[in-house]
Structure formats: C-alpha cells, structure tokens
Amino acid sequence: MPEGKIVKALAGFYYVLDGERFVQCRGRGLFRKNKITPLVGDEVVYQAENDKEGTIIEVLPRKNELVRPPISNVDQAILVFSAIEPAFSTLLLDRFLVLVEANGIEPVICISKTDLIESAELKENILSFASDYQEAGYRVFQTSAENMEGISSLGPLFEDKISVFAGQSGVGKSSLLNAIKPDLALKTDDISSHLGRGKHTTRHVELIAIDSGLIADTPGFSSLDFTGIEVQDLGHCFPEIRERAGDCKFRGCTHVSEPKCAVKEAVQKGEIKEYRYTHYLSFLEEIKDRKPRY
C-alpha cells in the first residue's frame, strides 16, 4: 500500500502528497465510527483507485497534534512578534512559548518590523529582550520584510520540517513568508492559496512547500488557554526553570513558597529574568483557578 502526507483537508477530502503526486482521498468509513479524524500533517497509508483518487486506510502514529489549528507532526513554531505596531509583549510571547513547549514543538522567536524602530530607547529594549530569550535557551531572529534584515537566516530553519507561523494579527507573518519565498504571493491581510483558492473563506489548514520544508498556511493559534497543561507541567515549559528544577530540595517543587528552591534562588541572582518568573506565577494561578472539566 502506498504512503503519503496529508497537506490539505477540505470539505471531507484529504489531499495526500506522495512524492510529487497529489492524491485526493476520502477517509475510511470506519474512521468516524472509531472517532479517528485524519489531520493535515498526518503520515497515512492509502489505497489508490486511480492516479488521482484514493481512500485513506490508516493514519500512522503522530508525534504531536494541535487542536486549533488542527494539524499534526509539527516540528517547530515560528513565533512572530513585531517590535512595534503592535508593541512587543513579553507576556503574550511567554503564553505562546508555553503552549508550544507543552506540545513538544520547538519554538523559534522572530521579532519582525525592525525597520520601524526609530527611537534609541526602543531599539535598546528590543535588543535586551532578544538577549534575555537567547540566554533562556531560545533561538531569536530580528527581521524586516521591508529591508530584508535577517530574512536569509530564516530560510535554513524550514529544511525537512513542518513549521507553523503564529503570532498576533498584524505582526507581519504573511509579509515574512513573501520575503522568504516571493513566488508565494501571499496576501498580507488574508493568506491566499497556491492550490487555487482566493482569500481564506474557512479556517482550514494547508501545508505550503518552501524548498525541502512545509509551512502551515493557517491563521495560527486561535486559542491561547492552558487546557491540558497541569500545575506540575508548567515549569517544564520554561527552559531556564526546567534546567534548574532538579536542584530544588523538594521533588515536585512548584517554585512558589517551598524552601531551598533553586529556581527562586536563580531569580534572586538575576540568572532567571524576574518578568519571566512573574509570568510563570501568573500562569500557575490561571491553571490552579481553571474550572475542572468533566
């Protein structure tokens, strides 16, 4: 049986990429009965009726999956945050980072619109934040789709990976993709499709080829709540907390009021940025206050 990857799902059809060939497939009737929903990004086994049509027989095991957007087997998330318009927000960035880390996806921080920085103070602030996140263990890129700053360094990130772009509306995700691969001609207000669609009329996901990689054509994360993340999981979603947690006196330390906590000690020494720790505490309270789901 041939195998391939679902690169688009629309109106009950799954478009499977097998080598350089697209096969339009339906799912097996048993999928619905067994509550199996094939997702864009899935590796599947299919049965071909002819050169262009087939039926998906089996969905192979996933390494991860996202609910919103519905996509699986994501390798990395490019988190695009503008230096200005809208203003750079460490609180929102940390929320995105936690969601990405919790799903076992490698985050990459991309600070966009650097060409709009006019004041020396803002430039210094952005450089400081970039340095903070690099020290915490993240890859950080400063870019401008306008003057092409940093664009060439983004290209190699996508090689042999499935990537998603995420960030606030208006941060320039489509402009960045156009700068990386101009022939995509993505609209900067609504992403258009290389497979014949116009503007987004639905919120379905599609994978676009960029060299040897695939990027999700999607509006990004539409839900930013911490559903599925438990109190004991949160510290693992902050690299600088994760690497010090083993040195805490008590196993299962939540790094709040426990004595001899290596994380709090690192905050006091300035080794963990205070605003990152403050965001951790805020997210922890949010998770604790979450209403139980039955």
Side-chain angles (χ1 to χ4, degrees):
M1 289 277 186
E3 295 184 11
K5 185 192 299 289
I6 298 175
V7 294
K8 178 183 173 183
L10 182 63
F13 288 101
Y14 302 98
Y15 296 83
V16 176
L17 179 63
D18 183 356
E20 296 184 359
R21 181 177 64 146
F22 286 100
V23 183
Q24 178 180 286
C25 294
R26 290 277 193 187
R28 287 181 72 186
L30 277 174
F31 285 170
R32 181 172 291 183
K33 181 181 176 184
N34 295 333
K35 297 183 178 177
I36 296 170
T37 303
L39 296 175
V40 169
D42 276 342
E43 298 286 346
V44 298
V45 178
Y46 70 95
Q47 184 174 6
E49 271 99 55
N50 53 53
D51 280 352
K52 294 184 178 178
E53 295 177 308
T55 303
I56 294 174
I57 302 300
E58 182 185 358
V59 176
L60 300 177
R62 299 165 179 157
K63 69 178 182 182
N64 58 41
E65 64 181 89
L66 298 174
V67 176
R68 292 185 293 266
I71 187 171
S72 69
N73 298 320
V74 177
D75 296 302
Q76 66 184 358
I78 315 299
L79 303 180
V80 184
F81 277 71
S82 52
I84 190 171
E85 296 179 14
F88 189 81
S89 167
T90 58
L91 179 62
L92 188 59
L93 174 55
D94 286 346
R95 183 173 282 272
F96 271 94
L97 286 167
V98 165
L99 290 167
V100 168
E101 295 264 9
N103 283 285
I105 299 169
E106 178 80 17
V108 176
I109 299 169
C110 178
I111 302 174
S112 64
K113 300 188 182 180
T114 54
D115 61 290
L116 297 181
I117 299 174
E118 293 181 350
S119 75
E121 183 183 2
L122 178 57
K123 184 170 186 176
E124 191 176 322
N125 284 343
I126 293 298
L127 286 172
S128 177
F129 286 134
S131 175
D132 291 349
Y133 282 95
Q134 284 172 327
E135 283 178 23
Y138 296 107
R139 287 181 292 170
V140 182
F141 295 84
Q142 296 185 59
T143 64
S144 166
E146 195 66 32
N147 63 24
M148 300 299 284
E149 179 192 352
I151 298 300
S152 61
S153 58
L154 288 179
L157 289 176
F158 307 120
E159 290 179 9
D160 302 319
K161 291 181 179 176
I162 292 181
S163 306
V164 295
F165 268 59
Q168 286 173 280
S169 177
V171 295
K173 297 185 288 293
S174 299
S175 296
L176 277 175
L177 280 170
N178 282 336
I180 294 163
K181 191 174 183 183
D183 61 350
L184 285 175
L186 300 181
K187 299 204 176 187
T188 54
D189 54 350
D190 282 291
I191 300 175
S192 64
S193 169
H194 71 307
L195 290 183
R197 285 187 290 122
K199 289 185 179 181
H200 266 304
T201 52
T202 70
R203 294 181 69 83
H204 73 269
V205 183
E206 182 176 333
L207 292 175
I208 297 172
I210 288 193
D211 298 326
S212 63
L214 293 165
I215 294 179
D217 168 1
T218 164
F221 295 85
S222 57
S223 173
L224 292 175
D225 62 50
F226 295 133
T227 303
I229 303 175
E230 303 299 334
V231 166
Q232 65 271 20
D233 302 328
L234 184 62
H236 296 290
C237 301
F238 286 76
E240 66 271 52
I241 291 177
R242 184 170 63 229
E243 70 180 30
R244 291 171 172 86
D247 296 327
C248 293
K249 181 178 181 181
F250 294 101
R251 192 176 174 183
C253 181
T254 59
H255 323 300
V256 179
S257 56
E258 298 91 339
K260 296 188 178 179
C261 169
V263 170
K264 287 192 295 179
E265 201 173 295
V267 175
Q268 289 165 1
K269 289 179 179 177
E271 294 170 0
I272 293 178
K273 297 302 173 186
E274 195 159 335
Y275 66 86
R276 286 272 290 168
Y277 179 64
T278 299
H279 295 164
Y280 165 79
L281 294 178
S282 172
F283 298 161
L284 197 68
E285 285 306 307
E286 187 177 327
I287 291 169
K288 286 178 179 176
D289 292 343
R290 186 174 60 208
K291 290 179 181 177
R293 304 181 78 179
Y294 301 102

